[in-house]
Amino acid sequence: MSSITRQSIYILILSILLLVFVLLFSFLALIPEGKKYRIQRVQLTKEYKDLRRYQDFDSQTFEELKKLQANNRHIITAFDTPFDKDRFIKKYKGLFNTLELTKAEKLDNEDGFSVYNVKTSSKISSPATFYKFLEEVNKSDWIVAVNFPIDFKRDGEVINSSFQMKVYCNSKDSNNSK
């Protein structure tokens, strides 16, 4: 009995207590947290893949937007240009003997677009001047839609025409939140 010293017994008891503490710490703290860590790591991997997919989609959409803006710069500028009735008449009066623009009554389904009744008369034998006018309007600073029917009436050598057109322009307050 005397071969085991008191100091060795204290070290053995302390070692057993430390082993029990390490085992309890492992089973109660480390292993459950390790399982949570693995679950969170798998979830993070999935979310990272989603993030990459959304970033790729964002960059593709942004590139497409820039390409469309570059290709349609004239249309975007025309959409933002306010319609000037006097400038329109001055620009296209040379194609006709008379050119009158009167603003139509606001219709229910016009969605913020301006509608004008246009009356023209020209001393021609065919409506070719009108088609030249349509080509010029397509190249103008505004986005204009000519609505059918277009009424041509011959009065001797003069052809009178009347039609309705919509002028599309961007509403400046449509981007503001209410």
Side-chain angles (χ1 to χ4, degrees):
M1 276 207 204
S2 68
S3 69
I4 301 178
T5 64
R6 190 178 241 173
Q7 198 174 20
S8 296
I9 291 175
Y10 288 144
I11 290 176
L12 180 63
I13 291 173
L14 185 62
S15 297
I16 291 173
L17 285 175
L18 282 175
L19 179 64
V20 169
F21 175 75
V22 167
L23 289 175
L24 285 175
F25 181 73
S26 296
F27 286 110
L28 296 177
L30 290 179
I31 292 175
E33 290 299 320
K35 287 180 182 178
K36 287 181 187 176
Y37 169 75
R38 285 191 298 270
I39 291 170
Q40 289 175 348
R41 186 179 65 196
V42 168
Q43 185 179 6
L44 180 65
T45 304
K46 288 178 185 177
E47 289 179 5
Y48 183 72
K49 285 179 185 177
D50 287 343
L51 175 66
R52 289 297 313 154
R53 190 178 62 201
Y54 290 134
Q55 285 175 337
D56 291 343
F57 178 73
D58 179 55
S59 64
Q60 288 172 351
T61 306
F62 186 72
E63 287 176 23
E64 186 175 336
L65 171 68
K66 289 301 177 188
K67 189 185 313 177
L68 287 172
Q69 284 178 334
N71 292 341
N72 299 305
R73 177 70 48 208
H74 177 72
I75 294 170
I76 293 169
T77 305
F79 195 66
D80 287 334
T81 304
F83 183 71
D84 184 3
K85 179 180 169 182
D86 296 328
R87 185 170 163 232
F88 182 87
I89 291 172
K90 184 178 178 183
K91 187 171 186 175
Y92 298 110
K93 188 160 178 85
L95 297 173
F96 304 102
N97 289 347
T98 62
L99 175 64
E100 298 174 19
L101 233 62
T102 56
K103 191 156 188 157
E105 296 283 325
K106 192 82 168 171
L107 302 175
D108 291 338
N109 60 352
E110 296 308 315
D111 297 327
F113 300 121
S114 301
V115 177
Y116 290 89
N117 289 317
V118 180
K119 292 187 177 160
T120 64
S121 67
S122 31
K123 203 170 193 178
I124 55 172
S125 59
S126 72
T129 302
F130 179 76
Y131 296 117
K132 183 177 179 186
F133 164 74
L134 288 179
E135 287 178 20
E136 293 292 323
V137 166
N138 281 335
K139 298 173 188 172
S140 73
D141 296 337
W142 306 287
I143 297 178
V144 175
V146 175
N147 295 336
F148 291 96
I150 300 168
D151 187 27
F152 290 105
K153 290 183 183 174
R154 186 169 190 89
D155 186 21
E157 289 189 25
V158 175
I159 294 179
N160 295 314
S161 61
S162 64
F163 56 93
Q164 196 174 58
M165 72 178 191
K166 283 185 188 176
V167 179
Y168 297 89
C169 63
N170 193 8
S171 177
K172 296 297 180 193
D173 61 343
S174 66
N175 293 333
N176 295 338
S177 60
K178 293 181 179 178

